[in-house]
Amino acid sequence: NSTILENYQACEENFKAIGTREKSPDILHIATHGFALPKPAETGIADIYPTDKPVYTLLNDPMMRCGLLLAGANHFWMQGKPLGNYENGVLTANEVRDMNLQNTELAVLSACQTGLGDVMGSEGVYGMERAFHIAGVRFLIVSLWYIPDGQTRELMNLFYENWTVKGESLRDAFSHAQTTMRKRDPDPNIWAGFVLIE
């Protein structure tokens, strides 16, 4: 059984409600836009993300400078205030970290740059990946750069077919999906942006 949330149902409130259930879903697939902002001290950030807009561009906490954009986020990003009675639609790693996703075997973050964050010495990357692991998710599929929509959809369809229809292991299903995509288009920018992390 699956539940599909789209348009205004794909809001921050409904996503956070998943973390309050007794049992989180086995699989979470989030197809949206993602962001991972550089440190405020890095030059040129004001040209990319005007500092008079979202405060996320100025924060030192890397778990607040990355996230997923859900319903209403565009309005908040442009207007500086939430749409109606909704939350702002910007789901940060900080917010995901506090959820209970202990029952979730796999979270697929099908959005740009969901595997990025700040590298903190030997501690690893502080970003969405760390947040979902802290929340309890065992496996994650995240992206390392901007990903094309059409080829991403194709990769995900191949992955789920290999895993759920053909019965391959999760790791093999993902690897074989990428191999198939590589045969169709040798440009690694098309198929190599996603990684599977345990």
Side-chain angles (χ1 to χ4, degrees), residues 29-64:
H29 187 109
I30 306 160
T32 186
H33 298 287
F35 67 94
L37 303 176
K39 295 177 183 177
E42 293 182 9
T43 58
I45 189 169
D47 298 330
I48 303 169
Y49 303 99
T51 53
D52 63 336
K53 295 295 183 191
V55 296
Y56 304 101
T57 59
L58 301 174
L59 299 172
N60 286 320
D61 183 353
M63 301 290 271
M64 290 293 291

PDB file of all heavy atoms in Angstrom, residues 29-64:
ATOM      1  N   HIS A  29       9.687   8.211  -0.489  1.00  0.00           N
ATOM      2  CA  HIS A  29      10.257   8.741  -1.727  1.00  0.00           C
ATOM      3  C   HIS A  29       9.813  10.185  -1.844  1.00  0.00           C
ATOM      4  O   HIS A  29       8.627  10.473  -1.951  1.00  0.00           O
ATOM      5  CB  HIS A  29       9.790   7.934  -2.942  1.00  0.00           C
ATOM      6  CG  HIS A  29      10.483   8.358  -4.198  1.00  0.00           C
ATOM      7  ND1 HIS A  29      11.414   7.569  -4.826  1.00  0.00           N
ATOM      8  CD2 HIS A  29      10.398   9.489  -4.935  1.00  0.00           C
ATOM      9  CE1 HIS A  29      11.877   8.202  -5.891  1.00  0.00           C
ATOM     10  NE2 HIS A  29      11.266   9.379  -5.981  1.00  0.00           N
ATOM     11  N   ILE A  30      10.764  11.099  -1.817  1.00  0.00           N
ATOM     12  CA  ILE A  30      10.468  12.524  -1.857  1.00  0.00           C
ATOM     13  C   ILE A  30      11.043  13.097  -3.149  1.00  0.00           C
ATOM     14  O   ILE A  30      12.264  13.178  -3.319  1.00  0.00           O
ATOM     15  CB  ILE A  30      11.061  13.246  -0.634  1.00  0.00           C
ATOM     16  CG1 ILE A  30      10.573  12.570   0.650  1.00  0.00           C
ATOM     17  CG2 ILE A  30      10.679  14.719  -0.646  1.00  0.00           C
ATOM     18  CD1 ILE A  30      11.413  12.860   1.851  1.00  0.00           C
ATOM     19  N   ALA A  31      10.155  13.456  -4.066  1.00  0.00           N
ATOM     20  CA  ALA A  31      10.558  14.037  -5.351  1.00  0.00           C
ATOM     21  C   ALA A  31      10.189  15.516  -5.328  1.00  0.00           C
ATOM     22  O   ALA A  31       9.015  15.866  -5.447  1.00  0.00           O
ATOM     23  CB  ALA A  31       9.862  13.313  -6.503  1.00  0.00           C
ATOM     24  N   THR A  32      11.180  16.360  -5.149  1.00  0.00           N
ATOM     25  CA  THR A  32      10.948  17.802  -5.023  1.00  0.00           C
ATOM     26  C   THR A  32      12.239  18.532  -5.367  1.00  0.00           C
ATOM     27  O   THR A  32      13.102  18.000  -6.059  1.00  0.00           O
ATOM     28  CB  THR A  32      10.450  18.141  -3.600  1.00  0.00           C
ATOM     29  OG1 THR A  32      10.093  19.510  -3.543  1.00  0.00           O
ATOM     30  CG2 THR A  32      11.474  17.808  -2.537  1.00  0.00           C
ATOM     31  N   HIS A  33      12.388  19.732  -4.852  1.00  0.00           N
ATOM     32  CA  HIS A  33      13.631  20.490  -5.006  1.00  0.00           C
ATOM     33  C   HIS A  33      14.377  20.456  -3.680  1.00  0.00           C
ATOM     34  O   HIS A  33      13.772  20.509  -2.614  1.00  0.00           O
ATOM     35  CB  HIS A  33      13.346  21.942  -5.396  1.00  0.00           C
ATOM     36  CG  HIS A  33      12.656  22.063  -6.711  1.00  0.00           C
ATOM     37  ND1 HIS A  33      13.297  21.847  -7.915  1.00  0.00           N
ATOM     38  CD2 HIS A  33      11.379  22.364  -7.024  1.00  0.00           C
ATOM     39  CE1 HIS A  33      12.451  22.010  -8.901  1.00  0.00           C
ATOM     40  NE2 HIS A  33      11.272  22.321  -8.391  1.00  0.00           N
ATOM     41  N   GLY A  34      15.700  20.385  -3.772  1.00  0.00           N
ATOM     42  CA  GLY A  34      16.526  20.409  -2.580  1.00  0.00           C
ATOM     43  C   GLY A  34      17.531  21.537  -2.662  1.00  0.00           C
ATOM     44  O   GLY A  34      17.772  22.099  -3.732  1.00  0.00           O
ATOM     45  N   PHE A  35      18.123  21.874  -1.527  1.00  0.00           N
ATOM     46  CA  PHE A  35      19.159  22.905  -1.524  1.00  0.00           C
ATOM     47  C   PHE A  35      20.199  22.585  -0.465  1.00  0.00           C
ATOM     48  O   PHE A  35      19.903  21.946   0.539  1.00  0.00           O
ATOM     49  CB  PHE A  35      18.555  24.297  -1.282  1.00  0.00           C
ATOM     50  CG  PHE A  35      17.973  24.498   0.094  1.00  0.00           C
ATOM     51  CD1 PHE A  35      18.724  25.061   1.116  1.00  0.00           C
ATOM     52  CD2 PHE A  35      16.663  24.126   0.369  1.00  0.00           C
ATOM     53  CE1 PHE A  35      18.195  25.244   2.383  1.00  0.00           C
ATOM     54  CE2 PHE A  35      16.113  24.312   1.630  1.00  0.00           C
ATOM     55  CZ  PHE A  35      16.884  24.867   2.641  1.00  0.00           C
ATOM     56  N   ALA A  36      21.403  22.989  -0.731  1.00  0.00           N
ATOM     57  CA  ALA A  36      22.508  22.896   0.221  1.00  0.00           C
ATOM     58  C   ALA A  36      23.330  24.160   0.030  1.00  0.00           C
ATOM     59  O   ALA A  36      24.064  24.293  -0.945  1.00  0.00           O
ATOM     60  CB  ALA A  36      23.349  21.651  -0.036  1.00  0.00           C
ATOM     61  N   LEU A  37      23.159  25.108   0.930  1.00  0.00           N
ATOM     62  CA  LEU A  37      23.794  26.410   0.795  1.00  0.00           C
ATOM     63  C   LEU A  37      25.200  26.401   1.360  1.00  0.00           C
ATOM     64  O   LEU A  37      25.474  25.740   2.356  1.00  0.00           O
ATOM     65  CB  LEU A  37      22.957  27.471   1.517  1.00  0.00           C
ATOM     66  CG  LEU A  37      21.500  27.580   1.055  1.00  0.00           C
ATOM     67  CD1 LEU A  37      20.755  28.589   1.913  1.00  0.00           C
ATOM     68  CD2 LEU A  37      21.426  27.968  -0.400  1.00  0.00           C
ATOM     69  N   PRO A  38      26.119  27.153   0.736  1.00  0.00           N
ATOM     70  CA  PRO A  38      27.485  27.224   1.259  1.00  0.00           C
ATOM     71  C   PRO A  38      27.540  28.030   2.550  1.00  0.00           C
ATOM     72  O   PRO A  38      26.580  28.692   2.929  1.00  0.00           O
ATOM     73  CB  PRO A  38      28.245  27.940   0.129  1.00  0.00           C
ATOM     74  CG  PRO A  38      27.209  28.710  -0.597  1.00  0.00           C
ATOM     75  CD  PRO A  38      25.927  27.925  -0.479  1.00  0.00           C
ATOM     76  N   LYS A  39      28.684  27.980   3.190  1.00  0.00           N
ATOM     77  CA  LYS A  39      28.886  28.758   4.419  1.00  0.00           C
ATOM     78  C   LYS A  39      28.737  30.247   4.101  1.00  0.00           C
ATOM     79  O   LYS A  39      29.146  30.697   3.033  1.00  0.00           O
ATOM     80  CB  LYS A  39      30.274  28.485   4.997  1.00  0.00           C
ATOM     81  CG  LYS A  39      30.463  27.059   5.472  1.00  0.00           C
ATOM     82  CD  LYS A  39      31.872  26.836   5.960  1.00  0.00           C
ATOM     83  CE  LYS A  39      32.071  25.392   6.352  1.00  0.00           C
ATOM     84  NZ  LYS A  39      33.445  25.108   6.760  1.00  0.00           N
ATOM     85  N   PRO A  40      28.169  31.015   5.019  1.00  0.00           N
ATOM     86  CA  PRO A  40      27.943  32.437   4.755  1.00  0.00           C
ATOM     87  C   PRO A  40      29.210  33.204   4.404  1.00  0.00           C
ATOM     88  O   PRO A  40      29.166  34.155   3.650  1.00  0.00           O
ATOM     89  CB  PRO A  40      27.356  32.963   6.066  1.00  0.00           C
ATOM     90  CG  PRO A  40      26.874  31.769   6.790  1.00  0.00           C
ATOM     91  CD  PRO A  40      27.681  30.604   6.322  1.00  0.00           C
ATOM     92  N   ALA A  41      30.350  32.790   4.924  1.00  0.00           N
ATOM     93  CA  ALA A  41      31.593  33.515   4.687  1.00  0.00           C
ATOM     94  C   ALA A  41      32.123  33.328   3.266  1.00  0.00           C
ATOM     95  O   ALA A  41      32.969  34.085   2.813  1.00  0.00           O
ATOM     96  CB  ALA A  41      32.652  33.065   5.690  1.00  0.00           C
ATOM     97  N   GLU A  42      31.622  32.303   2.554  1.00  0.00           N
ATOM     98  CA  GLU A  42      32.113  32.055   1.210  1.00  0.00           C
ATOM     99  C   GLU A  42      31.650  33.163   0.277  1.00  0.00           C
ATOM    100  O   GLU A  42      30.514  33.602   0.324  1.00  0.00           O
ATOM    101  CB  GLU A  42      31.658  30.679   0.721  1.00  0.00           C
ATOM    102  CG  GLU A  42      32.304  29.558   1.516  1.00  0.00           C
ATOM    103  CD  GLU A  42      31.904  28.184   1.011  1.00  0.00           C
ATOM    104  OE1 GLU A  42      31.269  28.090  -0.047  1.00  0.00           O
ATOM    105  OE2 GLU A  42      32.235  27.209   1.694  1.00  0.00           O
ATOM    106  N   THR A  43      32.534  33.601  -0.566  1.00  0.00           N
ATOM    107  CA  THR A  43      32.242  34.751  -1.427  1.00  0.00           C
ATOM    108  C   THR A  43      31.201  34.403  -2.481  1.00  0.00           C
ATOM    109  O   THR A  43      31.094  33.273  -2.923  1.00  0.00           O
ATOM    110  CB  THR A  43      33.521  35.224  -2.130  1.00  0.00           C
ATOM    111  OG1 THR A  43      34.047  34.131  -2.883  1.00  0.00           O
ATOM    112  CG2 THR A  43      34.544  35.703  -1.137  1.00  0.00           C
ATOM    113  N   GLY A  44      30.446  35.420  -2.857  1.00  0.00           N
ATOM    114  CA  GLY A  44      29.488  35.272  -3.941  1.00  0.00           C
ATOM    115  C   GLY A  44      28.133  34.758  -3.546  1.00  0.00           C
ATOM    116  O   GLY A  44      27.245  34.659  -4.380  1.00  0.00           O
ATOM    117  N   ILE A  45      27.916  34.416  -2.272  1.00  0.00           N
ATOM    118  CA  ILE A  45      26.628  33.832  -1.889  1.00  0.00           C
ATOM    119  C   ILE A  45      25.481  34.824  -2.075  1.00  0.00           C
ATOM    120  O   ILE A  45      24.386  34.441  -2.461  1.00  0.00           O
ATOM    121  CB  ILE A  45      26.652  33.304  -0.441  1.00  0.00           C
ATOM    122  CG1 ILE A  45      25.370  32.520  -0.166  1.00  0.00           C
ATOM    123  CG2 ILE A  45      26.819  34.420   0.564  1.00  0.00           C
ATOM    124  CD1 ILE A  45      25.396  31.754   1.118  1.00  0.00           C
ATOM    125  N   ALA A  46      25.741  36.100  -1.871  1.00  0.00           N
ATOM    126  CA  ALA A  46      24.681  37.095  -2.015  1.00  0.00           C
ATOM    127  C   ALA A  46      24.209  37.208  -3.465  1.00  0.00           C
ATOM    128  O   ALA A  46      23.078  37.590  -3.727  1.00  0.00           O
ATOM    129  CB  ALA A  46      25.155  38.450  -1.505  1.00  0.00           C
ATOM    130  N   ASP A  47      25.084  36.864  -4.398  1.00  0.00           N
ATOM    131  CA  ASP A  47      24.693  36.901  -5.803  1.00  0.00           C
ATOM    132  C   ASP A  47      23.755  35.753  -6.149  1.00  0.00           C
ATOM    133  O   ASP A  47      22.892  35.881  -7.011  1.00  0.00           O
ATOM    134  CB  ASP A  47      25.935  36.818  -6.699  1.00  0.00           C
ATOM    135  CG  ASP A  47      26.874  37.993  -6.475  1.00  0.00           C
ATOM    136  OD1 ASP A  47      26.368  39.078  -6.123  1.00  0.00           O
ATOM    137  OD2 ASP A  47      28.085  37.815  -6.638  1.00  0.00           O
ATOM    138  N   ILE A  48      23.924  34.624  -5.480  1.00  0.00           N
ATOM    139  CA  ILE A  48      23.101  33.444  -5.763  1.00  0.00           C
ATOM    140  C   ILE A  48      21.820  33.468  -4.949  1.00  0.00           C
ATOM    141  O   ILE A  48      20.736  33.249  -5.452  1.00  0.00           O
ATOM    142  CB  ILE A  48      23.901  32.158  -5.445  1.00  0.00           C
ATOM    143  CG1 ILE A  48      25.203  32.139  -6.250  1.00  0.00           C
ATOM    144  CG2 ILE A  48      23.082  30.916  -5.762  1.00  0.00           C
ATOM    145  CD1 ILE A  48      26.176  31.078  -5.824  1.00  0.00           C
ATOM    146  N   TYR A  49      21.944  33.731  -3.665  1.00  0.00           N
ATOM    147  CA  TYR A  49      20.816  33.754  -2.748  1.00  0.00           C
ATOM    148  C   TYR A  49      20.789  35.107  -2.048  1.00  0.00           C
ATOM    149  O   TYR A  49      21.555  35.321  -1.111  1.00  0.00           O
ATOM    150  CB  TYR A  49      20.928  32.640  -1.702  1.00  0.00           C
ATOM    151  CG  TYR A  49      21.031  31.269  -2.303  1.00  0.00           C
ATOM    152  CD1 TYR A  49      22.255  30.631  -2.436  1.00  0.00           C
ATOM    153  CD2 TYR A  49      19.893  30.607  -2.766  1.00  0.00           C
ATOM    154  CE1 TYR A  49      22.350  29.373  -2.997  1.00  0.00           C
ATOM    155  CE2 TYR A  49      19.983  29.348  -3.330  1.00  0.00           C
ATOM    156  CZ  TYR A  49      21.212  28.743  -3.439  1.00  0.00           C
ATOM    157  OH  TYR A  49      21.297  27.506  -3.991  1.00  0.00           O
ATOM    158  N   PRO A  50      19.976  36.056  -2.500  1.00  0.00           N
ATOM    159  CA  PRO A  50      19.958  37.382  -1.867  1.00  0.00           C
ATOM    160  C   PRO A  50      19.739  37.281  -0.365  1.00  0.00           C
ATOM    161  O   PRO A  50      18.833  36.608   0.093  1.00  0.00           O
ATOM    162  CB  PRO A  50      18.772  38.074  -2.554  1.00  0.00           C
ATOM    163  CG  PRO A  50      18.572  37.322  -3.818  1.00  0.00           C
ATOM    164  CD  PRO A  50      19.002  35.904  -3.556  1.00  0.00           C
ATOM    165  N   THR A  51      20.578  37.964   0.390  1.00  0.00           N
ATOM    166  CA  THR A  51      20.524  37.838   1.846  1.00  0.00           C
ATOM    167  C   THR A  51      19.333  38.554   2.456  1.00  0.00           C
ATOM    168  O   THR A  51      19.077  38.405   3.634  1.00  0.00           O
ATOM    169  CB  THR A  51      21.821  38.362   2.488  1.00  0.00           C
ATOM    170  OG1 THR A  51      22.050  39.688   2.013  1.00  0.00           O
ATOM    171  CG2 THR A  51      22.996  37.479   2.126  1.00  0.00           C
ATOM    172  N   ASP A  52      18.593  39.342   1.667  1.00  0.00           N
ATOM    173  CA  ASP A  52      17.382  39.958   2.212  1.00  0.00           C
ATOM    174  C   ASP A  52      16.182  39.034   2.076  1.00  0.00           C
ATOM    175  O   ASP A  52      15.087  39.371   2.441  1.00  0.00           O
ATOM    176  CB  ASP A  52      17.092  41.295   1.522  1.00  0.00           C
ATOM    177  CG  ASP A  52      16.819  41.137   0.034  1.00  0.00           C
ATOM    178  OD1 ASP A  52      17.279  40.134  -0.542  1.00  0.00           O
ATOM    179  OD2 ASP A  52      16.154  42.014  -0.539  1.00  0.00           O
ATOM    180  N   LYS A  53      16.395  37.838   1.548  1.00  0.00           N
ATOM    181  CA  LYS A  53      15.331  36.849   1.413  1.00  0.00           C
ATOM    182  C   LYS A  53      15.434  35.857   2.573  1.00  0.00           C
ATOM    183  O   LYS A  53      15.522  36.260   3.700  1.00  0.00           O
ATOM    184  CB  LYS A  53      15.414  36.167   0.041  1.00  0.00           C
ATOM    185  CG  LYS A  53      15.157  37.117  -1.116  1.00  0.00           C
ATOM    186  CD  LYS A  53      13.747  37.645  -1.120  1.00  0.00           C
ATOM    187  CE  LYS A  53      13.508  38.536  -2.321  1.00  0.00           C
ATOM    188  NZ  LYS A  53      12.279  39.273  -2.264  1.00  0.00           N
ATOM    189  N   PRO A  54      15.478  34.546   2.325  1.00  0.00           N
ATOM    190  CA  PRO A  54      15.490  33.587   3.428  1.00  0.00           C
ATOM    191  C   PRO A  54      16.719  33.726   4.332  1.00  0.00           C
ATOM    192  O   PRO A  54      17.815  33.956   3.859  1.00  0.00           O
ATOM    193  CB  PRO A  54      15.500  32.233   2.711  1.00  0.00           C
ATOM    194  CG  PRO A  54      14.972  32.509   1.364  1.00  0.00           C
ATOM    195  CD  PRO A  54      15.426  33.898   1.023  1.00  0.00           C
ATOM    196  N   VAL A  55      16.498  33.561   5.612  1.00  0.00           N
ATOM    197  CA  VAL A  55      17.594  33.667   6.578  1.00  0.00           C
ATOM    198  C   VAL A  55      18.545  32.481   6.473  1.00  0.00           C
ATOM    199  O   VAL A  55      19.645  32.541   7.004  1.00  0.00           O
ATOM    200  CB  VAL A  55      17.049  33.749   8.020  1.00  0.00           C
ATOM    201  CG1 VAL A  55      16.236  35.011   8.207  1.00  0.00           C
ATOM    202  CG2 VAL A  55      16.242  32.518   8.378  1.00  0.00           C
ATOM    203  N   TYR A  56      18.150  31.429   5.771  1.00  0.00           N
ATOM    204  CA  TYR A  56      18.980  30.226   5.683  1.00  0.00           C
ATOM    205  C   TYR A  56      20.361  30.525   5.107  1.00  0.00           C
ATOM    206  O   TYR A  56      21.321  29.837   5.397  1.00  0.00           O
ATOM    207  CB  TYR A  56      18.287  29.158   4.834  1.00  0.00           C
ATOM    208  CG  TYR A  56      16.923  28.817   5.356  1.00  0.00           C
ATOM    209  CD1 TYR A  56      15.772  29.326   4.767  1.00  0.00           C
ATOM    210  CD2 TYR A  56      16.775  28.011   6.478  1.00  0.00           C
ATOM    211  CE1 TYR A  56      14.515  29.036   5.270  1.00  0.00           C
ATOM    212  CE2 TYR A  56      15.526  27.720   6.986  1.00  0.00           C
ATOM    213  CZ  TYR A  56      14.406  28.238   6.382  1.00  0.00           C
ATOM    214  OH  TYR A  56      13.172  27.956   6.893  1.00  0.00           O
ATOM    215  N   THR A  57      20.452  31.561   4.276  1.00  0.00           N
ATOM    216  CA  THR A  57      21.726  31.891   3.653  1.00  0.00           C
ATOM    217  C   THR A  57      22.745  32.444   4.639  1.00  0.00           C
ATOM    218  O   THR A  57      23.924  32.452   4.351  1.00  0.00           O
ATOM    219  CB  THR A  57      21.515  32.936   2.536  1.00  0.00           C
ATOM    220  OG1 THR A  57      20.920  34.101   3.115  1.00  0.00           O
ATOM    221  CG2 THR A  57      20.627  32.407   1.440  1.00  0.00           C
ATOM    222  N   LEU A  58      22.298  32.881   5.792  1.00  0.00           N
ATOM    223  CA  LEU A  58      23.186  33.531   6.751  1.00  0.00           C
ATOM    224  C   LEU A  58      23.528  32.671   7.961  1.00  0.00           C
ATOM    225  O   LEU A  58      24.288  33.094   8.819  1.00  0.00           O
ATOM    226  CB  LEU A  58      22.542  34.838   7.256  1.00  0.00           C
ATOM    227  CG  LEU A  58      22.212  35.863   6.177  1.00  0.00           C
ATOM    228  CD1 LEU A  58      21.452  37.025   6.776  1.00  0.00           C
ATOM    229  CD2 LEU A  58      23.472  36.338   5.487  1.00  0.00           C
ATOM    230  N   LEU A  59      22.960  31.489   8.053  1.00  0.00           N
ATOM    231  CA  LEU A  59      23.118  30.668   9.251  1.00  0.00           C
ATOM    232  C   LEU A  59      24.432  29.896   9.250  1.00  0.00           C
ATOM    233  O   LEU A  59      24.882  29.409   8.213  1.00  0.00           O
ATOM    234  CB  LEU A  59      21.942  29.698   9.375  1.00  0.00           C
ATOM    235  CG  LEU A  59      20.572  30.371   9.506  1.00  0.00           C
ATOM    236  CD1 LEU A  59      19.476  29.339   9.433  1.00  0.00           C
ATOM    237  CD2 LEU A  59      20.481  31.154  10.809  1.00  0.00           C
ATOM    238  N   ASN A  60      25.024  29.764  10.423  1.00  0.00           N
ATOM    239  CA  ASN A  60      26.262  28.997  10.550  1.00  0.00           C
ATOM    240  C   ASN A  60      25.996  27.496  10.672  1.00  0.00           C
ATOM    241  O   ASN A  60      26.840  26.692  10.316  1.00  0.00           O
ATOM    242  CB  ASN A  60      27.066  29.485  11.754  1.00  0.00           C
ATOM    243  CG  ASN A  60      27.736  30.820  11.485  1.00  0.00           C
ATOM    244  OD1 ASN A  60      28.238  31.045  10.397  1.00  0.00           O
ATOM    245  ND2 ASN A  60      27.722  31.696  12.464  1.00  0.00           N
ATOM    246  N   ASP A  61      24.842  27.107  11.187  1.00  0.00           N
ATOM    247  CA  ASP A  61      24.513  25.700  11.389  1.00  0.00           C
ATOM    248  C   ASP A  61      24.261  25.029  10.037  1.00  0.00           C
ATOM    249  O   ASP A  61      23.301  25.362   9.341  1.00  0.00           O
ATOM    250  CB  ASP A  61      23.261  25.586  12.269  1.00  0.00           C
ATOM    251  CG  ASP A  61      22.894  24.152  12.600  1.00  0.00           C
ATOM    252  OD1 ASP A  61      23.532  23.226  12.049  1.00  0.00           O
ATOM    253  OD2 ASP A  61      21.964  23.959  13.400  1.00  0.00           O
ATOM    254  N   PRO A  62      25.116  24.075   9.631  1.00  0.00           N
ATOM    255  CA  PRO A  62      24.936  23.431   8.323  1.00  0.00           C
ATOM    256  C   PRO A  62      23.630  22.655   8.217  1.00  0.00           C
ATOM    257  O   PRO A  62      23.112  22.462   7.112  1.00  0.00           O
ATOM    258  CB  PRO A  62      26.147  22.503   8.215  1.00  0.00           C
ATOM    259  CG  PRO A  62      26.596  22.283   9.619  1.00  0.00           C
ATOM    260  CD  PRO A  62      26.258  23.524  10.365  1.00  0.00           C
ATOM    261  N   MET A  63      23.064  22.228   9.347  1.00  0.00           N
ATOM    262  CA  MET A  63      21.804  21.484   9.314  1.00  0.00           C
ATOM    263  C   MET A  63      20.611  22.412   9.064  1.00  0.00           C
ATOM    264  O   MET A  63      19.498  21.950   8.837  1.00  0.00           O
ATOM    265  CB  MET A  63      21.605  20.727  10.627  1.00  0.00           C
ATOM    266  CG  MET A  63      22.711  19.742  10.949  1.00  0.00           C
ATOM    267  SD  MET A  63      22.736  18.306   9.873  1.00  0.00           S
ATOM    268  CE  MET A  63      21.653  17.224  10.786  1.00  0.00           C
ATOM    269  N   MET A  64      20.853  23.714   9.114  1.00  0.00           N
ATOM    270  CA  MET A  64      19.812  24.690   8.791  1.00  0.00           C
ATOM    271  C   MET A  64      20.004  25.279   7.392  1.00  0.00           C
ATOM    272  O   MET A  64      19.145  25.980   6.893  1.00  0.00           O
ATOM    273  CB  MET A  64      19.816  25.831   9.823  1.00  0.00           C
ATOM    274  CG  MET A  64      19.324  25.425  11.191  1.00  0.00           C
ATOM    275  SD  MET A  64      17.568  25.014  11.205  1.00  0.00           S
ATOM    276  CE  MET A  64      16.835  26.613  10.917  1.00  0.00           C
TER     277      MET A  64
END
